């Protein structure tokens, strides 16, 4: 029948009808709806979608209107959503985005063929920006900062490793599959939404032009008058600022390598003769120990402070009974939530290593670290206890370590505790057996990484009699008695509780080791590498971590009196706070005379 064919007279067809839904689809839709309303029992019913629309015209119209409304809502959500979960509230969506008005104006003035291409392009563009917002949300939830388009791609590989080691291979596969599906869905739905609304505007061009002009006038007026609802500006240009910040961050990132290279070339000790380095520590065993995620929140947060206070007071008493004294302060880490290797390299190199590119440039260069300066003197054997390392670690050689013990070389035959390959107490006992407990040895400078307090903090070990550690098999039962990370992470408070217990376990393991094996020639420097994820910090912007020096020889602590650190294992609220990159030079200066 002629009603189901396109008109052969182009002059009788409006531009909107030709353009919408691929050229003639809109005209067919209108014609079929009219047929359905008039009723034509003698006419054959086309099979498929258009036949359904003719048979149920009111339902079809409702579906069409509903789809258009959903498309509009989707684009508004994409345009108005903040790039952080803690700002996701109703007020964020009660705004008028200038991007929607500009987009509508551009699409309305374009010719039909170009308009169709532009609609797809704009849809994909909005989808990509929405994905970037989602990436920002994820990074803010783990690292308290937005996603870096230049440096953070390598972090995605680390994230998949963490998923596999924390939740198993199945959990990793399901999570990756879910992310891929989500990303594809966002791109496809944003594109379809823009195409859908473009078709609707084309079919109702006069009304669309008028609406766009009215909304544009409203936006300009509200913007100039500063109209707000609930403290939020009604007329927003969020994507403009969002894109400007992203472009500036990319420009800064691309020029960061040159800045870092200049900073790396400045080293106050580069020309110091080896026999004049670290003379105040000669004959001492120096242990630099990082406690994973041991941040200021563990000490300051009211929900954790009572238990942590008790642990630190117990540690103080344990150390004092063994003849040790301690001083504590604060360091500001370059990272939060993750990226421990950047904090470690910042502390050891005296440079601010805030991204992966800086880390790679550092470890491929010749900048001396605290460990390599110890090695350079020839007075210490330098070793690394790195239970978190499961595969080849070429950077280890850069840090100046004569020997490295990773998770496969500590003699541990027990279970993993989620991400953690070796419990802290066992790592310290292994260090004692493999290095510290040897007779007739040279002094040791050791970098020790305690990993039990690594996210997801479930299940966690607890200290046992040191004589019962054996080969680690005893931890099989301890793990069975622990918590399930998939259950723990359903509750923010449970996550915070398990985090606090993990930090307590690490501190207990370290203070007990010092009491058991430390002597007058043992000097311990221990610190956190970074604050935990925002789930634990509850949005705190502090990047501080505690740092402590422990020694039995009073001459050691006399050398750092000028630092004004707090007596004991707990730094006072007003104790000095340094950037983590400042420690190396101040430490070497204090022990250079």
């Amino acid at each position: 029948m002629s009603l189901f064919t396109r008109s052969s007279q182009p002059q009788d067809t409006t531009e909107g009808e030709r353009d919408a839904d691929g050229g003639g689809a809109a005209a067919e839709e209108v014609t079929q709806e009219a047929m359905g309303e008039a009723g034509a029992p003698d006419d054959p019913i086309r099979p498929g979608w258009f036949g359904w629309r003719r048979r149920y015209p009111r339902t079809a119209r409702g579906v069409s209107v509903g789809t258009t409304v959903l498309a509009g809502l989707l684009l508004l959500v994409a345009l108005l959503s903040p790039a952080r979960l803690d700002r996701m509230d109703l007020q964020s969506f009660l705004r008028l985005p200038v991007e929607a008005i500009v987009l509508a104006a551009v699409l309305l003035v374009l010719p039909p063929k170009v308009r169709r291409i532009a609609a797809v392009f704009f849809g994909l563009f909005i989808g990509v920006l929405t994905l970037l917002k989602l990436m920002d949300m994820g990074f803010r939830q783990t690292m308290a900062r937005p996603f870096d388009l230049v440096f953070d791609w390598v972090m995605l590989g680390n994230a998949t490793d963490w998923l596999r080691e924390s939740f198993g291979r199945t959990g990793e596969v399901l999570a990756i599959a879910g992310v891929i599906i989500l990303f594809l869905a966002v791109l496809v739905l944003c594109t379809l939404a823009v195409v859908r609304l473009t078709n609707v505007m084309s079919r109702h061009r006069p009304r669309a032009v008028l609406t766009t002009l009215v909304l544009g006038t409203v936006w300009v007026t509200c913007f100039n008058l500063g109209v707000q609802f609930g403290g939020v500006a009604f007329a927003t240009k969020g994507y403009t600022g969002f894109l400007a910040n992203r472009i500036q961050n990319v420009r800064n990132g691309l020029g960061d390598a040159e800045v870092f290279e200049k900073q790396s070339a400045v080293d106050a000790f580069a020309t110091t003769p080896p026999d004049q380095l670290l003379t105040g520590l000669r004959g001492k065993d120096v242990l630099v120990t990082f406690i994973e995620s041991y941040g200021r929140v563990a000490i300051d947060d009211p929900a954790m402070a009572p238990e942590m206070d008790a642990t630190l007071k117990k540690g103080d008493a344990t150390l004092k009974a063994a003849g040790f004294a301690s001083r504590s302060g604060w360091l500001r880490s370059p990272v939060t939530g993750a990226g421990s290797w950047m904090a470690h390299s910042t502390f050891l190199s005296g440079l601010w290593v805030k991204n992966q590119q800086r880390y790679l440039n550092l470890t491929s260069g010749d900048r001396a670290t605290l460990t390599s300066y110890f090695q350079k003197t020839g007075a210490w054997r330098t070793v690394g206890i790195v239970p978190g390392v499961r595969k080849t670690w070429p950077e280890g050689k850069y840090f100046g370590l004569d020997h490295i013990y990773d998770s496969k070389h500590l003699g541990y035959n027990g279970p993993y505790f989620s991400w953690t390959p070796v419990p802290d107490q066992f790592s310290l006992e292994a260090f004692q057996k493999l290095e510290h407990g040897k007779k007739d040895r040279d002094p040791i400078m050791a970098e020790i990484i305690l990993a039990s307090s690594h996210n997801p903090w479930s299940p966690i070990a607890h200290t046992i009699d040191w004589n019962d550690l054996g080969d680690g098999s005893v931890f099989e039962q301890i793990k069975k008695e622990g918590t399930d990370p998939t259950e723990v992470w359903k509750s923010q408070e449970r996550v915070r509780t398990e985090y606090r217990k993990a930090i307590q376990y690490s501190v207990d393991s370290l203070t007990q080791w010092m009491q058991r094996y430390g002597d007058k020639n043992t000097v311990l420097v221990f610190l956190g590498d970074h604050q935990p994820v925002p789930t634990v910090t509850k949005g705190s912007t502090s990047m501080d971590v505690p740092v402590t020096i422990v020694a039995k020889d009073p001459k050691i602590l006399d050398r750092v009196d000028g630092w004004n650190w707090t007596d004991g294992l707990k730094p006072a609220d007003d104790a000095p706070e340094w950037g983590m990159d400042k420690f190396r030079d101040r430490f070497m200066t204090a022990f250079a005379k």
Side-chain angles (χ1 to χ4, degrees):
M1 293 179 63
S2 60
L3 287 175
F4 287 101
T5 61
R6 294 179 65 179
S7 170
S8 59
Q9 300 178 19
Q11 65 272 20
D12 295 332
T13 305
T14 67
E15 175 189 285
E17 290 171 336
R18 291 198 308 271
D19 179 48
D21 296 329
E28 291 181 352
E29 179 180 328
V30 173
T31 303
Q32 289 162 25
E33 287 181 2
M35 288 173 52
E37 290 174 1
D42 330 351
D43 294 338
I45 299 175
R46 282 188 67 181
W49 173 252
F50 287 117
W52 178 86
R53 291 179 66 85
R54 177 179 171 230
R55 183 178 296 182
Y56 306 104
R58 295 184 184 278
T59 302
R61 182 168 181 78
V63 169
S64 179
V65 172
T67 303
T68 302
V69 171
L70 288 175
L73 289 175
L74 174 62
L75 290 182
L76 282 177
V77 169
L79 293 170
L80 293 174
S81 292
R84 45 194 305 168
L85 289 174
D86 59 341
R87 294 181 181 174
M88 191 77 71
D89 53 32
L90 182 61
Q91 290 179 337
S92 298
F93 299 97
L94 299 178
R95 298 180 295 162
L96 181 61
V98 69
E99 296 85 4
I101 300 169
V102 173
L103 179 63
V106 170
L107 290 172
L108 285 169
V109 300
L110 291 175
K113 290 184 179 180
V114 178
R115 183 188 305 138
R116 287 192 290 270
I117 297 172
V120 173
F121 172 79
F122 286 136
L124 288 172
F125 184 67
I126 292 173
V128 168
L129 292 180
T130 303
L131 291 178
L132 185 54
K133 284 186 178 182
L134 292 175
M135 295 288 285
D136 280 358
M137 291 179 190
F139 267 69
R140 288 186 184 278
Q141 286 300 107
T142 55
M143 304 185 75
R145 63 171 178 80
F147 179 71
D148 192 312
L149 282 166
V150 178
F151 301 117
D152 280 342
W153 296 104
V154 68
M155 301 289 286
L156 302 182
N158 296 326
T160 60
D161 290 342
W162 177 82
L163 285 169
R164 181 177 62 255
E165 291 151 3
S166 299
F167 302 101
R169 183 68 177 176
T170 301
E172 176 196 14
V173 171
L174 290 176
I176 293 174
V179 169
I180 292 174
I181 292 171
L182 173 64
F183 276 31
L184 291 176
V186 168
L187 290 175
V188 171
L189 290 176
C190 285
T191 302
L192 291 177
V194 174
V195 170
R196 175 76 185 184
L197 294 176
T198 300
N199 290 338
V200 171
M201 289 192 301
S202 299
R203 290 199 300 269
H204 307 284
R205 184 182 178 81
R207 191 179 305 172
V209 171
L210 179 60
T211 302
T212 302
L213 289 173
V214 170
L215 290 177
T217 303
V218 170
W219 188 92
V220 171
T221 302
C222 291
F223 181 79
N224 288 329
L225 295 178
V227 175
Q228 296 185 350
F229 295 104
V232 177
F234 176 69
T236 177
K237 52 177 182 176
Y239 260 146
T240 305
F242 181 74
L243 282 174
N245 288 337
R246 277 290 173 273
I247 293 171
Q248 187 59 48
N249 288 342
V250 169
R251 292 178 60 186
N252 292 341
L254 294 175
D256 187 63
E258 184 178 349
V259 173
F260 188 68
E261 184 179 0
K262 292 178 180 178
Q263 293 172 348
S264 301
V266 179
D267 187 344
F269 298 93
T271 60
T272 303
D275 61 353
Q276 296 179 26
L277 291 169
L278 301 160
T279 54
L281 290 168
R282 298 298 170 107
K284 305 293 186 183
D285 294 318
V286 182
L287 317 179
V288 175
T289 304
F290 294 93
I291 297 180
E292 170 66 38
S293 299
Y294 181 25
R296 186 163 190 155
V297 65
I299 293 175
D300 283 357
D301 191 288
M304 304 182 202
E307 291 85 355
M308 277 304 303
D309 279 349
T311 294
L312 295 174
K313 287 179 181 178
K314 177 183 174 183
D316 271 329
T318 297
L319 292 173
K320 286 179 181 178
F324 290 96
S326 55
R327 303 282 189 277
S328 298
W330 301 107
L331 298 179
R332 187 175 65 259
S333 176
V335 293
T336 292
S340 300
W341 59 95
M342 289 182 262
H344 299 171
S345 54
T346 294
F347 182 85
L348 295 172
S349 71
L351 294 172
W352 195 251
V353 184
K354 62 181 180 179
N355 56 54
Q356 185 67 10
Q357 187 60 52
R358 285 192 169 203
Y359 176 77
L360 294 174
N361 288 344
L362 174 71
T363 54
S364 62
D366 57 4
R367 167 80 176 195
T369 63
L370 184 60
T371 43
S372 64
Y373 273 127
F374 272 96
Q375 184 187 54
K376 184 179 179 181
T377 67
W380 283 273
R381 170 174 165 79
T382 56
V383 299
I385 306 296
V386 287
V389 175
R390 301 165 176 78
K391 47 192 175 183
T392 304
W393 188 42
E395 300 97 317
K397 188 173 293 185
Y398 160 76
F399 286 103
L401 299 171
D402 295 321
H403 193 83
I404 296 172
Y405 298 93
D406 60 22
S407 61
K408 297 179 181 179
H409 297 90
L410 293 173
Y412 181 68
N413 291 312
Y416 275 33
F417 283 76
S418 290
W419 184 90
T420 308
V422 186
D424 290 347
Q425 188 181 10
F426 191 95
S427 296
L428 290 167
E429 179 67 14
F431 169 63
Q432 175 64 23
K433 291 179 179 178
L434 295 169
E435 291 286 346
H436 189 265
K438 290 181 178 179
K439 295 181 180 180
D440 301 322
R441 59 170 176 78
D442 291 331
I444 296 171
M445 190 280 165
E447 178 188 357
I448 302 173
I449 313 297
L450 298 183
S452 287
S453 50
H454 194 288
N455 184 336
W457 311 300
S458 174
I460 54 175
H462 57 76
T463 53
I464 60 176
D465 190 300
W466 291 78
N467 295 319
D468 294 338
L469 288 171
D471 67 351
S473 300
V474 66
F475 287 101
E476 291 283 1
Q477 184 59 35
I478 294 174
K479 180 178 180 179
K480 290 178 182 178
E481 296 168 355
T483 53
D484 182 349
T486 58
E487 291 299 319
V488 168
W489 278 81
K490 292 179 181 178
S491 164
Q492 183 185 44
E493 291 312 311
R494 287 196 66 185
V495 172
R496 285 161 53 78
T497 297
E498 295 303 303
Y499 162 77
R500 185 256 302 162
K501 290 180 179 178
I503 297 297
Q504 288 178 279
Y505 168 68
S506 297
V507 172
D508 281 340
S509 297
L510 190 55
T511 54
Q512 288 181 27
W513 184 92
M514 282 290 287
Q515 180 194 40
R516 184 178 177 86
Y517 297 117
D519 56 34
K520 64 179 182 179
N521 289 322
T522 305
V523 177
L524 170 66
V525 178
F526 75 93
L527 66 151
D529 50 12
H530 55 69
Q531 286 264 60
V533 295
T535 302
V536 176
T537 61
K538 284 192 170 181
S540 170
T541 58
S542 171
M543 300 181 76
D544 290 352
V545 298
V547 57
T548 300
I549 295 181
V550 182
K552 184 173 286 189
D553 184 348
K555 294 179 181 178
I556 298 298
L557 296 183
D558 286 346
R559 287 178 173 268
V560 299
D561 270 348
W563 293 359
N564 298 318
W565 284 12
T566 309
D567 287 341
L569 301 181
K570 178 184 176 182
D573 289 345
D574 59 351
E577 175 198 329
W578 305 341
M580 194 175 279
D581 57 329
K582 304 302 181 185
F583 182 88
R584 189 202 74 160
D585 286 6
R586 293 186 179 185
F587 182 82
M588 293 184 67
T589 298
F591 292 99
K593 50 187 176 182

